[in-house]
Amino acid sequence: MLLSIISIIANIAYTAVLNIAFYTDRAMMPDGHYREWHRSPVSRLSAADESWLYHLQIILVAISIVSSVLVLIGVKNRTVRIVQTVSLIASTVMFVIIMIVTNNIHVHYA
């Protein structure tokens, strides 16, 4: 039961962090001035055409939350607990991968 609550809170936190704009991209414009964009990891993935990573994260978050809610409701099936644990681990790993990828993305503006 504690794992279910932790899973729900962690997945909500992952989704919130992925939508916070804490990256700053700078590019020189044709007139010689620099322009700044404040981007979230989601918008950076989208700008680099790597949004499939975020879609995979959303799927893993949904599976994790649904299985956690099922456990909280009282489903005693061992398969649901295994799915919950695996999806929580996969969601955490995917979050770390997205953060590493977005840190190394350098979008070029033309």
Side-chain angles (χ1 to χ4, degrees):
M1 183 151 153
L2 181 62
L3 182 64
S4 298
I5 295 169
I6 291 170
S7 175
I8 291 171
I9 292 171
N11 283 301
I12 290 171
Y14 296 158
T15 305
V17 168
L18 289 176
N19 287 298
I20 294 174
F22 55 83
Y23 288 116
T24 301
D25 292 337
R26 291 180 188 89
M28 183 179 277
M29 296 289 108
D31 62 357
H33 291 92
Y34 279 94
R35 180 164 177 209
E36 286 188 358
W37 291 270
H38 298 285
R39 298 187 184 271
S40 66
V42 173
S43 62
R44 243 181 176 198
L45 286 173
S46 179
D49 200 28
E50 296 289 333
S51 59
W52 64 273
L53 291 169
Y54 181 64
H55 296 296
L56 183 60
Q57 174 70 17
I58 292 297
I59 291 169
L60 292 171
V61 164
I63 293 170
S64 182
I65 289 177
V66 167
S67 62
S68 295
V69 168
L70 287 174
V71 169
L72 285 175
I73 289 173
V75 175
K76 303 275 187 204
N77 194 345
R78 182 166 169 80
T79 307
V80 175
R81 286 200 180 270
I82 292 171
V83 167
Q84 174 195 16
T85 305
V86 169
S87 63
L88 174 61
I89 292 168
S91 177
T92 303
V93 168
M94 194 67 213
F95 174 75
V96 171
I97 289 171
I98 287 174
M99 295 307 288
I100 290 169
V101 167
T102 55
N103 189 40
N104 293 323
I105 289 177
H106 302 288
V107 180
H108 299 284
Y109 300 95

